[in-house]
Amino acid sequence: TIPDALRKGEPVHVVYIGGNETQAKTEKEISAELRQKFPGLTLEFFFPGWSSSWNKHLEKVKPAIDKADVVVLNPLMRTQFGRHVRKYCGSEHRWRACTGSGKESLKRSIEQAAIWIYSKRTSDSTPEQPTAKS
């Protein structure tokens, strides 16, 4: 199964964007727990907070988005920053939402995004099965 493949170390790169110092306090714990569960998982976190300098944060996250398999976006960010991040992701960079603000919600969203993108990757690389002609 897909979670089993990730547990065996299949690589997935997730970038988490959103939140502030409250969420940043959970970064190390989330990283350690998820890397123990999925050894091939690469995680990057960006906690922009509520800074009005969202354009500077946008320039910092663009290279990470370009390298990521999937981006997890939390709505805890400046509105314009979020709009520009989603626009930058467009159809070329897949992203998922994280709607919570606590450690377990962040962790669950990252885990679900990793499983989702790995399933997309494996289904996209699987040749179509021929259909029976009637």
Side-chain angles (χ1 to χ4, degrees):
T1 67
I2 291 162
D4 287 338
L6 293 173
R7 283 187 200 94
K8 291 178 183 175
E10 287 294 325
V12 175
H13 184 165
V14 179
V15 172
Y16 175 92
I17 303 171
N20 58 23
E21 61 278 353
T22 302
Q23 288 73 38
K25 290 177 187 176
T26 65
E27 176 183 355
K28 288 180 182 174
E29 208 173 331
I30 291 171
S31 292
E33 290 174 17
L34 287 176
R35 286 189 185 127
Q36 183 176 3
K37 187 172 186 175
F38 302 138
L41 182 65
T42 303
L43 279 171
E44 287 184 78
F45 290 87
F46 291 91
F47 302 103
W50 304 108
S51 167
S52 60
S53 302
W54 59 265
N55 54 336
K56 292 178 183 175
H57 291 290
L58 182 63
E59 294 309 310
K60 289 180 186 176
V61 299
K62 283 181 178 180
I65 291 170
D66 291 339
K67 294 185 300 182
D69 292 315
V70 64
V71 177
V72 176
L73 296 176
N74 190 302
L76 298 174
M77 63 178 81
R78 298 289 283 209
T79 302
Q80 289 299 322
F81 176 68
R83 285 180 182 155
H84 281 82
V85 169
R86 288 188 301 277
K87 183 178 179 181
Y88 186 77
C89 286
S91 61
E92 295 180 28
H93 307 289
R94 297 186 181 195
W95 65 275
R96 304 281 288 185
C98 171
T99 57
S101 59
K103 176 190 158 215
E104 290 304 315
S105 180
L106 274 64
K107 191 169 96 172
R108 186 173 44 254
S109 295
I110 293 166
E111 183 175 340
Q112 289 171 348
I115 291 168
W116 176 74
I117 200 63
Y118 187 76
S119 71
K120 294 292 248 177
R121 184 190 308 159
T122 56
S123 68
D124 290 348
S125 65
T126 305
E128 286 188 42
Q129 295 295 322
T131 55
K133 295 184 180 181
S134 14

